[in-house]
Amino acid sequence: MEKSGRQETAHRLRGTLATVFRYAVRTFRAPLDPASARRGALLKVEVTHRPSITDEVKLG
């Protein structure tokens, strides 16, 4: 997923899987959380900040 350029989706997917595996570890259904190993391995998501419209006339 990360190789196809969908870094944000990869981060969300890792978070969801980590939640599932943490639950599995807590209920003794899995020995460890493999998603925690990928925590720092994913590329950072580039954020583009955009200015907000503060003028009510321009806003419409």
Side-chain angles (χ1 to χ4, degrees), residues 50-60:
R50 295 190 169 89
S52 61
I53 300 172
T54 57
D55 187 15
E56 291 181 14
V57 175
K58 289 182 181 178
L59 182 62

Side-chain angles (χ1 to χ4, degrees), residues 23-47:
Y23 176 77
V25 169
R26 216 175 315 135
T27 58
F28 302 105
R29 296 176 184 177
L32 63 120
D33 175 12
S36 64
R38 297 277 304 170
R39 182 169 204 125
L42 295 175
L43 295 174
K44 299 282 182 181
V45 178
E46 289 188 29
V47 178

Side-chain angles (χ1 to χ4, degrees), residues 12-29:
R12 273 190 269 134
L13 180 61
R14 193 210 59 83
T16 302
L17 290 175
T19 302
V20 171
F21 278 112
R22 277 194 306 264
Y23 176 77
V25 169
R26 216 175 315 135
T27 58
F28 302 105
R29 296 176 184 177

